[in-house]
Amino acid sequence: MTSKGRGNFLKVKCLDCDNEQVIFDRAASDVKCIICGKTIMKSKGAKGKIMAHIDKVLN
Ligand SMILES: [Zn+2]
């Protein structure tokens, strides 16, 4: 399921507004909910910290 060094696309659900969107877990900058603007993932240079409900890992 996880692949070292490549990162994964995750389907996540925003905790605030239930919007679902697909994010990349190694994005270079913070990812925000497109609906309410809540930070969904904090970028840490490598794998980011996910701050939303993870629905599914897409590969
Ligand atoms: Zn939201």
Side-chain angles (χ1 to χ4, degrees):
M1 178 175 102
T2 51
S3 45
K4 265 190 185 160
R6 282 186 27 209
N8 294 297
F9 285 95
L10 308 171
K11 188 176 179 194
V12 299
K13 190 186 262 190
C14 176
L15 298 177
D16 278 11
C17 72
D18 286 348
N19 167 56
E20 289 185 341
Q21 71 187 69
V22 175
I23 64 169
F24 185 57
D25 71 358
R26 285 169 190 255
S29 55
D30 290 0
V31 177
K32 291 185 175 163
C33 174
I34 54 170
I35 303 297
C36 73
K38 181 186 172 70
T39 299
I40 286 178
M41 192 200 72
K42 283 247 178 224
S43 177
K44 298 200 156 191
K47 191 172 180 178
K49 179 171 163 57
I50 310 293
M51 304 172 78
H53 174 74
I54 299 172
D55 223 34
K56 213 191 246 187
V57 178
L58 313 165
N59 267 322

